[in-house]
Amino acid sequence: MRIILCLLLLLCGRYSLAQQLSGTYRLELSGIYRLADARQMDSAFRSYSPAVLRDCVSISKLDDLRSYIAASYAFYHDLTKVDEYVNQLQYGPEKGNQYFRIARSFENAHDLVQTERFAKLAADTAMQCLDHTGNAIAPVSILASSLVLLTEALEQQQKYEEAIRWLTEKMGAVADRNRTGLMSLKGDMLVKAARYKEALDAYIAVLKARGGGKPLEEKMRQAYAALYGTDTSGFAGYLSGIKTRISHEFRDSIRQSTLRSKAPLFELKDLDGKLVKLDDYAGKVVVLDFWATWCVPCKASFPAMQKAIDRYAADKTVVFLFIDTWEYNDEVDKVIREYLNKRNFTFRVLRDRTDEVVKQYGVDGIPAKFVIDKAGYIRFGLKGFTGTDEEAVGELAEMISLSK
């Protein structure tokens, strides 16, 4: 019995030692990220035996380190060393992210050929792993970023048709919030390729996706002039007709919406510490706006939201609640107050300190807005912010009207 006990203690001691060594090696390997140049990183990495690396570090962590060293070599145009480390990458679902890192490094080194090569690898790899879920950056996000980087590299090489082909074939797989920007980019490439009619069609698609604004309209004006001649006197009527048609189509789609789900109840405190319950507004239309202090698109939508608040200032049946969520720290009350006061925004801000409410509403990106009808049902949901303030207010007004 004593012999068995001794053996067990010995085995446990060895396991504990292996754990300690594993933690030590991981700590030492992390120091490679802080080294000054690629050669130092390479030397430090090679000082570990393959067995140690295999037993003490996950494949995902090893791949991240390998791609980091490869990216460092990329900045110095050492393609041999880049390929050496790239050929060691093992974990498929995260390769897209690793390739994109290297592509960015080549971009910073002004190597368009290799930027193009690795951006293509990143996009293709991301396409193969779109269903993968994990802790790394989502493949769908890598795909969108890779297409932007690839288009920029191809544009600088005047490979406009190739850029158009890549965007056309792959941008349908990206998230809705990124597709509008890629469509605008496709329109730009079509203009460069002297395919003006198709460019106008692409820009119109951007308008339909609420991605309008003065810069886009100027691009349309230039494409219109290239297609129909330098006389752009008819452009104003052309653009007005398109906007009117899009507006009618959007309002028709709103009226046909069948969304009707019970709004999750919640209790949150406002900036003054007062408890606010969704139940407090039973019988009223409630507009929820999920946002964060670090979110640029959220803040871009605020002028339009203030205009909407002003529009319904006298209507006591409509309430606007701005739910601050996903903050990196809990000490942002002062920041919020100063921001609102400086810009004269009269928002009722509630703090979702534990991120529970944003989860209840299934939000996967901000800004996110919900219109809750008088019976307490979610009737409409909006993601992101694009278009003009007037368009945004008009669309929200239509939703509020249909929720009364």
Side-chain angles (χ1 to χ4, degrees):
M1 184 69 182
R2 288 182 179 178
I3 294 175
I4 294 174
L5 180 60
C6 288
L7 286 172
L8 287 172
L9 288 172
L10 180 60
L11 287 171
C12 289
R14 286 183 176 177
Y15 178 69
S16 177
L17 178 60
Q19 282 186 312
Q20 294 176 29
L21 287 173
S22 176
T24 299
Y25 283 127
R26 283 198 297 271
L27 183 62
E28 291 177 356
L29 281 167
S30 67
I32 294 177
Y33 290 100
R34 297 190 292 272
L35 294 177
D37 63 38
R39 288 185 296 275
Q40 291 179 346
M41 297 176 194
D42 183 34
S43 177
F45 187 79
R46 289 175 177 279
S47 68
Y48 298 94
S49 70
V52 166
L53 295 175
R54 181 184 64 247
D55 295 339
C56 297
V57 187
S58 70
I59 292 175
S60 176
K61 294 291 186 183
L62 273 179
D63 276 359
D64 187 79
L65 186 53
R66 286 166 176 146
S67 71
Y68 188 83
I69 298 173
S72 298
Y73 273 118
F75 187 76
Y76 295 102
H77 306 278
D78 192 335
L79 190 56
T80 299
K81 296 297 291 186
V82 170
D83 285 340
E84 176 186 325
Y85 275 94
V86 166
N87 290 335
Q88 296 177 47
L89 297 178
Q90 302 176 63
Y91 189 48
E94 293 180 16
K95 277 187 179 181
N97 189 22
Q98 318 301 357
Y99 290 143
F100 180 73
R101 166 187 276 169
I102 298 167
R104 286 297 306 272
S105 189
F106 273 121
E107 180 198 28
N108 291 332
H110 307 293
D111 188 333
L112 295 175
V113 173
Q114 294 303 322
T115 300
E116 174 188 339
R117 172 194 169 195
F118 279 95
K120 286 178 176 177
L121 282 170
D124 280 336
T125 305
M127 281 288 290
Q128 297 167 14
C129 304
L130 291 176
D131 295 331
H132 174 75
T133 57
N135 295 325
I137 300 174
V140 68
S141 297
I142 292 298
L143 175 59
S145 299
S146 299
L147 288 174
V148 172
L149 182 58
L150 174 59
T151 301
E152 291 172 351
L154 291 172
E155 180 184 9
Q156 292 182 63
Q157 298 174 81
Q158 299 184 1
K159 296 181 178 180
Y160 309 127
E161 294 292 348
E162 188 171 358
I164 294 166
R165 178 173 60 81
W166 274 81
L167 288 168
T168 302
E169 291 178 356
K170 300 188 185 300
M171 70 180 182
V174 306
D176 291 342
R177 63 181 180 273
N178 295 321
R179 196 172 301 140
T180 303
L182 291 174
M183 181 61 74
S184 181
L185 201 54
K186 179 182 176 181
D188 297 345
M189 294 304 100
L190 287 163
V191 168
K192 292 288 182 74
R195 294 163 59 176
Y196 304 116
K197 177 61 173 66
E198 293 168 86
L200 283 170
D201 291 340
Y203 291 144
I204 291 171
V206 175
L207 278 177
K208 286 183 177 180
R210 326 316 293 167
K214 295 300 181 183
L216 180 73
E217 291 177 13
E218 177 57 24
K219 289 180 180 181
M220 293 181 70
R221 188 192 65 78
Q222 293 177 7
Y224 182 93
L227 182 62
Y228 296 109
T230 56
D231 181 12
T232 58
S233 58
F235 176 71
Y238 166 81
L239 181 61
S240 177
I242 290 173
K243 285 185 173 182
T244 299
R245 186 177 76 246
I246 291 174
S247 179
H248 288 161
E249 291 174 355
F250 185 80
R251 281 170 168 74
D252 287 342
S253 69
I254 289 175
R255 295 187 185 99
Q256 294 169 13
S257 172
T258 58
L259 177 61
R260 186 176 170 82
S261 60
K262 193 66 177 177
L265 298 178
F266 60 81
E267 298 181 2
L268 293 172
K269 289 184 178 180
D270 64 14
L271 296 180
D272 295 321
K274 181 179 179 181
L275 188 65
V276 177
K277 303 177 182 180
L278 183 60
D279 272 347
D280 294 341
Y281 304 104
K284 297 183 179 182
V285 175
V286 180
V287 179
L288 301 182
D289 188 338
F290 288 89
W291 70 289
T293 56
W294 49 262
C295 174
V296 175
C298 298
K299 293 179 179 179
S301 73
F302 283 174
M305 293 305 293
Q306 184 61 56
K307 290 178 180 178
I309 290 173
D310 294 342
R311 178 168 178 166
Y312 289 94
D315 188 341
K316 302 307 179 184
T317 66
V318 179
V319 176
F320 293 82
L321 298 176
F322 293 78
I323 301 180
D324 174 71
T325 189
W326 286 348
E327 294 291 359
Y328 292 110
N329 65 75
D330 197 40
E331 306 300 322
V332 296
D333 290 40
K334 182 180 178 182
V335 174
I336 295 173
R337 288 181 186 277
E338 291 176 349
Y339 179 80
L340 298 180
N341 292 336
K342 185 177 180 179
R343 290 160 179 80
N344 296 315
F345 291 146
T346 58
F347 298 170
R348 181 78 181 276
V349 175
L350 312 181
R351 292 294 315 283
D352 185 18
R353 297 177 186 275
T354 60
D355 300 336
E356 286 301 318
V357 178
V358 76
K359 290 178 185 176
Q360 284 181 288
Y361 278 78
V363 175
D364 58 7
I366 53 177
K369 299 173 177 60
F370 296 91
V371 180
I372 302 172
D373 68 16
K374 291 185 175 184
Y377 287 86
I378 297 174
R379 293 294 309 279
F380 304 99
L382 295 170
K383 290 183 179 181
F385 175 75
T386 53
T388 66
D389 291 352
E390 289 71 24
E391 290 170 342
V393 173
E395 292 162 6
L396 191 56
E398 188 75 21
M399 295 177 187
I400 291 172
S401 176
L402 291 170
S403 301
K404 285 189 172 183

